[in-house]
Amino acid sequence: MKLISQNPERYSKQGSSWVISANRDSPNKGVTPLSLPIGVPLSNLKPLILADGIIVKVGDAYLCSITTLNLIKQSNNPHYDIVQNGAVKVKDKEVIVGKTIKIIELKLANLTAIMDERDVLNKNAGAVDVVYGGETQLVEGVPKGLIDQINYTLNEESKRPKDEYSIFDFYSMVDYKNNPKASHYKITPLLVQTQQADTIFDPAKLREYLIEVGDKLKLLEIDFNLIQDVFYEAKLPNNPNTYTETKQATQDTDTNINHTVRRYNRTTVGFVDNVLNRIK
């Protein structure tokens, strides 16, 4: 970090003003000291981030590093400040004194709009809920997730914060061992029940088999359309089963940025029992 020159022989404070002297040790050389108003210090300055030399405005809070905060408090140099300490005329231009510590603002209203937009896209990916940075626990009134993201953005040693989201549990939808509603994904009992004898053809068993297969296909088609509703229409079923992931995002390596997707609607018509239902 670059050291800040305090120049005590040049800069001093007198009441509510900065006094800048061209040569403080030789006041009789005819150069009148310059007097500038001391800027009004920022309130709500909080040392919550790691990056030095910058201020991040989040809502009403101004976030900085503890190092930056200490330098501001200890500084006896009107040029190193967040606020303006007056201005001086240099030829035909007015030069501001101070305001050298830059302030960037994270606009929460814009962030909320982005979150709302992402909610629809997240549902297209099967994400039922996502915990955004602005929704995390507060640290001195500032969401911790936003602090972590700011650190990751401005401080090269900070790691990318983990994302927390709940995903629609597609696996439980087909897990016939633990989900009674998924029995149509297992056909073994039906095969055993309707198995034909070696030398005897039983039309009734064939009829039963086809009807049951038709019913299972009907349920499979319902599931198929449900999955399409999620990925194409961002429509999730009521009270869906979910599981939660908390992991660090990685760079997307998918090079196919021009996906072509088409929705194919499957009907839910079961087996039409026509001829076989007349076999006695």
Side-chain angles (χ1 to χ4, degrees), residues 120 123-124 126 168 170 225-238 263:
V120 175
K123 288 179 180 178
N124 278 124
F168 181 83
F170 291 101
N225 289 333
L226 182 150
I227 293 171
Q228 289 199 113
D229 281 342
V230 173
F231 291 109
Y232 288 90
E233 308 293 340
K235 294 179 181 178
L236 290 160
N238 295 327
R263 174 162 187 159

Side-chain angles (χ1 to χ4, degrees), residues 194-223:
T194 60
Q195 185 175 10
Q196 297 284 344
D198 291 339
T199 58
I200 302 174
F201 173 69
D202 187 344
K205 284 187 176 182
L206 177 59
R207 175 176 177 273
E208 180 184 358
Y209 173 79
L210 293 175
I211 291 174
E212 287 293 325
V213 168
D215 290 343
K216 289 179 182 292
L217 285 174
K218 185 190 302 182
L219 295 174
L220 290 173
E221 287 162 354
I222 290 173
D223 291 345

Side-chain angles (χ1 to χ4, degrees), residues 1-8 11 18 52-53 67-82 100-101:
M1 178 182 293
K2 184 178 180 180
L3 295 177
I4 301 167
S5 177
Q6 299 298 331
N7 291 325
Y11 305 125
W18 281 102
D52 296 325
T67 300
T68 301
L69 181 61
N70 288 336
L71 287 174
I72 293 170
K73 290 180 177 179
Q74 297 165 8
S75 176
N76 194 46
N77 187 325
H79 296 285
Y80 185 78
D81 208 337
I82 307 170
T100 52
I101 306 174

Side-chain angles (χ1 to χ4, degrees), residues 49 51 64 218 270:
I49 62 175
C64 65
K218 185 190 302 182

Side-chain angles (χ1 to χ4, degrees), residues 81-243:
D81 208 337
I82 307 170
V83 297
Q84 179 176 337
N85 294 308
V88 294
K89 195 81 171 180
V90 179
K91 294 184 179 181
D92 58 344
K93 294 182 179 180
E94 187 177 70
V95 179
I96 292 174
V97 177
K99 293 190 77 172
T100 52
I101 306 174
K102 299 301 181 183
I103 300 176
I104 58 176
E105 182 177 0
L106 179 60
K107 295 185 178 181
L108 297 180
N110 292 353
L111 186 60
T112 300
I114 293 172
M115 289 161 53
D116 292 341
E117 181 181 344
R118 289 298 311 176
D119 274 339
V120 175
L121 298 176
N122 290 336
K123 288 179 180 178
N124 278 124
V128 178
D129 183 55
V130 176
V131 179
Y132 296 104
E135 300 171 337
T136 53
Q137 68 182 42
L138 299 180
V139 178
E140 295 188 35
V142 181
K144 185 179 183 303
L146 292 184
I147 297 173
D148 291 341
Q149 186 62 46
I150 292 169
N151 284 333
Y152 171 67
T153 304
L154 300 179
N155 181 263
E156 60 182 11
E157 296 181 359
S158 295
K159 294 182 179 180
R160 184 170 188 162
K162 292 183 177 181
D163 299 318
E164 181 179 332
Y165 47 90
S166 299
I167 301 292
F168 181 83
D169 192 355
F170 291 101
Y171 178 75
S172 69
M173 190 173 71
V174 302
D175 183 14
Y176 55 80
K177 291 183 179 180
N178 299 305
N179 181 7
K181 295 181 179 180
S183 59
H184 52 289
Y185 284 91
K186 187 175 184 181
I187 201 169
T188 304
L190 177 61
L191 293 173
V192 174
Q193 180 181 347
T194 60
Q195 185 175 10
Q196 297 284 344
D198 291 339
T199 58
I200 302 174
F201 173 69
D202 187 344
K205 284 187 176 182
L206 177 59
R207 175 176 177 273
E208 180 184 358
Y209 173 79
L210 293 175
I211 291 174
E212 287 293 325
V213 168
D215 290 343
K216 289 179 182 292
L217 285 174
K218 185 190 302 182
L219 295 174
L220 290 173
E221 287 162 354
I222 290 173
D223 291 345
F224 179 78
N225 289 333
L226 182 150
I227 293 171
Q228 289 199 113
D229 281 342
V230 173
F231 291 109
Y232 288 90
E233 308 293 340
K235 294 179 181 178
L236 290 160
N238 295 327
N239 302 316
N241 291 328
T242 63
Y243 65 94

Side-chain angles (χ1 to χ4, degrees), residues 12 14 16-21 32-38 85-88:
S12 63
Q14 293 182 10
S16 60
S17 299
W18 281 102
V19 177
I20 304 175
S21 176
T32 304
L34 183 66
S35 180
L36 296 174
I38 297 176
N85 294 308
V88 294

